[in-house]
Amino acid sequence: MGYAFSNIQAASCLSCFAEDVSFLSSAMSLWALAGLQLVHSIALSPISLSWCAYACASMCAHVLAISFLLLSKPVSCNAKVIGLDIQQDLINEANVLKPLIDDEFALGAEACKLYACDMTDKASFSNFVKPSSVDGWFSHLVFLHIPLPRREESFKNLFGTLKSGGRFSIEDYVLMGTEKLLPNELKVLDEVVGACALPTKSEYEATLRSCCEKSYGRQQLEISSLDFEDMSETWTTYTAGRRESFAANRAVHVKLHGEASAKMMENFYNAVADLFAGGRLGGAKITGQVAARSA
């Protein structure tokens, strides 16, 4: 059994794979938990499941904690974790905390390995995740940070890891309807959120289907099922509540991290809450499955 987490750009990610199970996921613990929920929703024996999850994160350590919670489940196979992140400093920090988690869950030192890797680069990616080797991947708020050409390379790499019948789940920003973002919203997305080239639902679907068919796996694949769940209302409520919670506890953040850090987070939380409240930015959970392409 294997679990993995990885990251690109400002997003943190881990990639896992092993003899029987592969799971590629990432990010802060909440996002990793979302991946966990997805895996548990699949009615398959853990021994026959191979998942790779790919998601946004800024702290590998949080993902590590969740990955080891998953790995500590009683399963009859040998689990391994390979962690990939584009930022070497995050890998270094995660490696400092990893032994603590190893001890907490009575795992061997070889259960998890972490490496710096650019998930948008085929050569770098293929050093750690082999083609057609996993049963699924998960991503949370990663791709919005990646310019389109490199974003498409990421999709090709990720789809290339899937076996026929593999599944994937993405949570990401999308544009709502046909109404364009206002100039000030585009500026905030670029300068505060670090988002670029946000697609509509139809544009996102077309990109996924195209990249799946052009993926770098050992077999030709196509998306056999694809579903978009509108998360806009949920995320609008969440981001508004997060802003309120931060404001109520701002003094604590200043004491722990300093005024500059608190101000940066305050600006970010305010910006994202305002963007979703404006009604032109939306969120989506995209789930799907691939199959061997018909001749």
Side-chain angles (χ1 to χ4, degrees):
M1 177 175 91
Y3 294 83
F5 298 73
S6 54
N7 171 40
I8 55 179
Q9 304 290 344
S12 170
C13 215
L14 287 173
S15 72
C16 316
F17 42 177
E19 266 183 357
D20 301 304
V21 183
S22 292
F23 179 67
L24 179 61
S25 178
S26 87
M28 294 181 258
S29 48
L30 287 178
W31 311 150
L33 281 171
L36 192 164
Q37 182 181 16
L38 175 69
V39 172
H40 286 179
S41 71
I42 309 291
L44 293 174
S45 162
I47 302 177
S48 66
L49 182 63
S50 184
W51 267 87
C52 83
Y54 182 67
C56 166
S58 58
M59 297 179 69
C60 282
H62 289 180
V63 181
L64 271 175
I66 300 303
S67 69
F68 282 119
L69 281 171
L70 287 169
L71 290 174
S72 66
K73 299 291 183 182
V75 292
S76 58
C77 52
N78 183 33
K80 291 183 179 180
V81 176
I82 295 180
L84 307 178
D85 193 292
I86 196 171
Q87 299 179 81
Q88 184 65 57
D89 57 337
L90 291 183
I91 293 294
N92 294 342
E93 292 176 11
N95 273 320
V96 170
L97 295 176
K98 189 176 77 69
L100 303 178
I101 302 171
D102 290 344
D103 293 341
E104 177 70 19
F105 297 104
L107 299 170
E110 298 301 311
C112 178
K113 295 290 187 180
L114 304 175
Y115 305 101
C117 171
D118 183 354
M119 297 287 290
T120 69
D121 180 73
K122 180 183 177 183
S124 176
F125 182 72
S126 63
N127 287 330
F128 303 100
V129 186
K130 302 306 178 186
S132 307
S133 63
V134 299
D135 296 311
W137 55 265
F138 167 74
S139 164
H140 186 99
L141 300 181
V142 173
F143 301 115
L144 65 100
H145 298 293
I146 309 170
L148 277 178
R150 296 187 68 192
R151 185 183 306 175
E152 293 175 359
E153 286 299 297
S154 298
F155 286 136
K156 291 175 186 177
N157 282 326
L158 288 166
F159 280 121
T161 68
L162 293 178
K163 304 171 185 175
S164 179
R167 306 182 187 216
F168 62 92
S169 178
I170 302 166
E171 295 190 18
D172 209 353
Y173 287 8
V174 294
L175 296 180
M176 298 294 293
T178 58
E179 189 174 0
K180 293 184 178 180
L181 293 167
L182 300 177
N184 67 299
E185 291 176 324
L186 290 170
K187 180 179 175 66
V188 169
L189 280 167
D190 178 40
E191 297 180 357
V192 180
V193 181
C196 54
L198 299 183
T200 63
K201 173 184 172 181
S202 60
E203 290 170 340
Y204 214 131
E205 178 175 351
T207 297
L208 290 176
R209 290 189 182 279
S210 174
C211 290
C212 180
E213 293 180 4
K214 299 174 183 176
S215 64
Y216 301 133
R218 293 195 179 98
Q219 60 185 143
Q220 292 186 318
L221 298 175
E222 62 184 358
I223 294 177
S224 56
S225 66
L226 189 65
D227 180 68
F228 278 74
E229 179 183 352
D230 189 352
M231 301 296 293
S232 304
E233 183 177 348
T234 299
W235 291 3
T236 298
T237 301
Y238 166 75
T239 55
R242 180 177 63 177
R243 169 165 60 185
E244 294 173 5
S245 176
F246 183 86
N249 296 280
R250 191 180 191 283
V252 176
H253 289 280
V254 172
K255 184 176 181 180
L256 287 173
H257 307 294
E259 175 61 32
S261 178
K263 184 62 176 177
M264 179 182 68
M265 295 308 299
E266 182 178 49
N267 290 341
F268 176 79
Y269 291 153
N270 286 339
V272 176
D274 288 342
L275 285 167
F276 277 100
R280 285 165 291 275
L281 176 67
K285 178 187 288 185
I286 308 163
T287 54
Q289 189 169 17
V290 302
R293 208 152 99 204
S294 303

